[in-house]
Amino acid sequence: MSRLAAAPLLALALAACAVPEWQKPGTPLADIERTMGRPTLAEPLESGGQRLVYSRQPAGQQVYHMDFDASQRLVRVTQVLTLENFQALRNGLDTQDSVRRRFGPPALLERVASFDGPIWTYRILDNGAPRQAHVHIDPAGVVRRVMFTDERLRDLDPPH
């Protein structure tokens, strides 16, 4: 294989191996983007820094916030798809935009007859158990309720 053809494959392989929680504080933003690839979202922070959001949805159960200071150096990495973070959403106050900034796009966008508006479903792990967080958003874009269900990935017991 020629060197020109091998270089893009090597870059792709290295990006696929990058893990957010292994990134070290102080790493420049440009280095993170080079190893991690393009983020799902990028948001300015009040401190003058920036937050890169890397989502593993819809198949994965993690969304990482990578916060950078004003000098574009990594300050912290936080996995935000937790039961506690969804329980902290404020019905009637949080909005579709604040949910997207916090958790990125949902794994599933659903509707049910008993609620007028979309339901954003995120796949999460709760103490190692696969669950789903369902964020009900009314037509005005306001969070009205958050519900949780167990996510059954496979039958553990064979049929009898």
Side-chain angles (χ1 to χ4, degrees), residues 132-143:
Q132 293 181 333
H134 308 279
V135 182
H136 294 67
I137 300 171
D138 71 15
V142 177
V143 172

Side-chain angles (χ1 to χ4, degrees), residues 4-76:
L4 289 177
L9 293 175
L10 178 60
L12 183 62
L14 289 174
C17 294
V19 177
E21 58 266 42
W22 292 352
Q23 305 305 312
K24 304 234 181 307
T27 304
L29 185 141
D31 290 355
I32 297 291
E33 285 186 317
R34 187 173 50 255
T35 59
M36 293 292 305
R38 209 170 145 194
T40 306
L41 298 169
E43 294 285 332
L45 296 174
E46 289 182 14
S47 63
Q50 185 174 10
R51 171 173 289 154
L52 300 184
V53 178
Y54 285 92
S55 176
R56 292 190 175 153
Q57 298 280 296
Q61 297 156 319
Q62 299 86 17
V63 170
Y64 294 93
H65 285 184
M66 300 183 82
D67 292 346
F68 295 83
D69 60 20
S71 63
Q72 297 191 334
R73 299 276 179 182
L74 183 63
V75 176
R76 80 184 126 287

